[in-house]
Amino acid sequence: MNLVPHKDRHPSTAHRAQALADRMYSEIYDAIMGLKLGAETKLTERDLCEIYHLPRHQVRQVLAKLEADGVVDVKANRGAFIANPDEREAQEMFELRTFLECALLEKIAPHLDAQACQRLADMVQEERLAWRTGDREGWIRLSAQFHVELAKLSGNQTLVLAVKKYVSRTTLMISGNHPMASGSCSFDEHQAIVDALSSGDSEVAVERMREHLQHCATRTPQKVHRVDLRNVLGTKRS
C-alpha cells in the first residue's frame, strides 16, 4: 500500500507526513515481531495520532497495511489489535505455508547461483550470531526474514507478499514460546535448507523445509500480555 499524503499539502509537509507514516509502520511492525507489543494489544487510533503527530486517516492507512501483512486484525466497531491467531488457524496457516514454501523451493532451486546461496548462508550466520549474543529481537526478525528472502528469489511479488503475511502471522504464534536456550534452533534448520540448495539437491531442500515447518507448527501459542503504546512506540527521535 502506498501511504501517499493528500496531494494539496505543501510538498515539505507531505514529505514529513510520509516519513512519519513510514516510521510508524516500521516501529509497529518491529515491535510486534520483537514481542514488545503482545497479542491482542489494542492499537488505539487516538494514541497513535498523538504519538506520531499524524491525522487519523493516515494512521488508518498504516493500520490497513499492517493488517495486509497479517500482524494486525482490524475488527468492525472495535478497532485494531495485534493479531492473536488461535491454534486451529495456526495449523491451517502452517499447512498452507508447507504447500507454498515447498513449491517455492522446487521453483527456485534449479536457478540458484553461488552468489544467491551465499547471501542465504550469510543470513543464517547473522541469525546464529543474534541468538548467541542474546539479541532476541534480531533473532526473531532474521528467522522470519529468511523465508521472505527465499520467496524474493522467485521473482514473484505476489508470492513474496503471501509468504511474508503467513510467516509474520505464524511468527506471532511461536516466537513467544521458543526460548533462546532451546536445543532446536531455527538457524540450524535454515542452514540445512541452504546446504541442500547449495548442493543442487532440491528434493532434500524440500524435505528439510517440510521438517522445519512441522517443528514450528508443534509450538504452542504465546500468552497474551498488554502494554501501554507510549512505552513502546515513538521513542526514537531523528
Side-chain angles (χ1 to χ4, degrees):
M1 179 181 297
N2 186 18
L3 306 179
V4 179
H6 194 283
K7 63 182 179 181
D8 291 338
R9 292 182 181 176
H10 189 277
S12 61
T13 304
H15 179 77
R16 181 175 180 276
Q18 181 63 59
L20 287 172
D22 291 342
R23 176 182 156 199
M24 174 185 163
Y25 168 80
S26 296
E27 288 188 359
I28 294 177
Y29 186 86
D30 289 346
I32 294 170
M33 298 301 286
L35 302 181
K36 290 182 177 179
L37 292 174
E40 294 188 4
T41 297
K42 186 171 184 179
L43 296 171
T44 310
E45 290 182 3
R46 182 181 62 186
D47 290 344
L48 293 173
C49 288
E50 293 175 357
I51 291 169
Y52 291 100
H53 306 290
L54 286 170
R56 190 173 293 262
H57 79 273
Q58 203 157 13
V59 166
R60 287 176 177 170
Q61 288 180 333
V62 175
L63 293 175
K65 184 177 180 182
L66 291 163
E67 182 182 29
D69 286 341
V71 296
V72 166
D73 290 333
V74 178
K75 303 177 182 181
N77 302 318
R78 293 186 58 197
F81 298 81
I82 306 302
N84 186 30
D86 59 26
E87 291 185 60
R88 178 177 177 180
E89 182 184 353
Q91 293 303 314
E92 291 176 349
M93 286 190 292
F94 275 115
E95 183 177 359
L96 179 56
R97 281 190 62 184
T98 300
F99 283 129
L100 282 177
E101 296 188 57
C102 287
L104 165 65
L105 290 184
E106 291 177 344
K107 174 182 174 62
I108 68 174
H111 310 291
L112 289 186
D113 57 21
Q115 186 176 12
C117 290
Q118 186 59 53
R119 287 199 304 271
L120 292 171
D122 289 344
M123 284 195 67
V124 174
Q125 285 303 104
E126 289 181 40
E127 186 184 347
R128 188 188 304 273
L129 180 61
W131 181 82
R132 286 180 173 173
T133 57
D135 179 7
R136 183 177 182 82
E137 292 177 34
W139 173 52
I140 292 170
R141 175 178 53 78
L142 289 164
S143 178
Q145 189 61 28
F146 175 80
H147 294 267
V148 178
E149 289 300 316
L150 283 173
K152 288 181 179 179
L153 291 171
S154 71
N156 185 323
Q157 184 60 23
T158 300
L159 179 58
V160 172
L161 293 175
V163 169
K164 181 180 180 181
K165 176 178 180 177
Y166 293 112
V167 167
S168 298
R169 200 166 176 86
T170 52
T171 296
L172 299 181
M173 301 288 296
I174 63 178
S175 56
N177 300 279
H178 193 33
M180 295 200 73
S182 171
S184 176
C185 299
S186 56
F187 53 76
D188 291 326
E189 296 169 357
H190 290 167
Q191 186 63 58
I193 295 168
V194 174
D195 289 344
L197 289 172
S198 298
S199 65
D201 196 331
S202 59
E203 290 186 8
V204 172
V206 167
E207 185 57 30
R208 294 295 174 266
M209 177 65 80
R210 193 183 309 278
E211 291 172 353
H212 172 51
L213 293 176
Q214 286 174 348
H215 291 163
C216 292
T218 61
R219 297 167 191 158
T220 55
Q222 66 183 50
K223 295 180 180 179
V224 173
H225 66 282
R226 295 179 176 85
V227 297
D228 186 332
L229 296 181
R230 289 177 174 80
N231 292 334
V232 176
L233 302 174
T235 56
K236 299 176 183 177
R237 300 299 177 192
S238 45

